[in-house]
Amino acid sequence: ALPISTLRESRSASDNGWSALLYDGNTFYHTTSYDIHLVDRGGGGASFAAGMIYGILSGFDLQKTGEFAVAASALKQTILGDFNLVDLKEVYSLMGGNTSGRVQR
């Protein structure tokens, strides 16, 4: 089992920090932290889990897997409804730093 935890920093009811902490038995990995304006938290955890699965199946190292998962999940929380409607390009763009300090859609 791989110990993983998402980290939510509640700044207000609508504004949160979002990151994750992962541990491989030897090293802790802390992902980028995103400032998000929440539209709908529903599906955020499922999007994180799906991002982890995608990263593992894609052969990413643990740090990149966590970065992908937290970026996909951060984007999901800016979308109304349970489904993450972003594409890979949007996730990679956010991972690459394409944000002005806040996740925007």
Side-chain angles (χ1 to χ4, degrees), residues 13-72:
S14 299
D15 294 297
N16 288 181
W18 186 248
S19 64
L21 186 63
L22 304 92
Y23 182 64
D24 67 5
N26 295 309
T27 305
F28 281 98
Y29 301 90
H30 185 232
T31 66
T32 300
S33 181
Y34 295 104
D35 293 327
I36 54 176
H37 182 74
L38 297 171
V39 173
D40 189 344
R41 285 176 52 169
S47 292
F48 180 83
M52 288 296 299
I53 293 167
Y54 177 85
I56 290 167
L57 292 177
S58 295
F60 297 167
D61 63 29
L62 189 56
Q63 181 71 47
K64 185 174 180 181
T65 297
E67 295 290 350
F68 184 91
V70 82

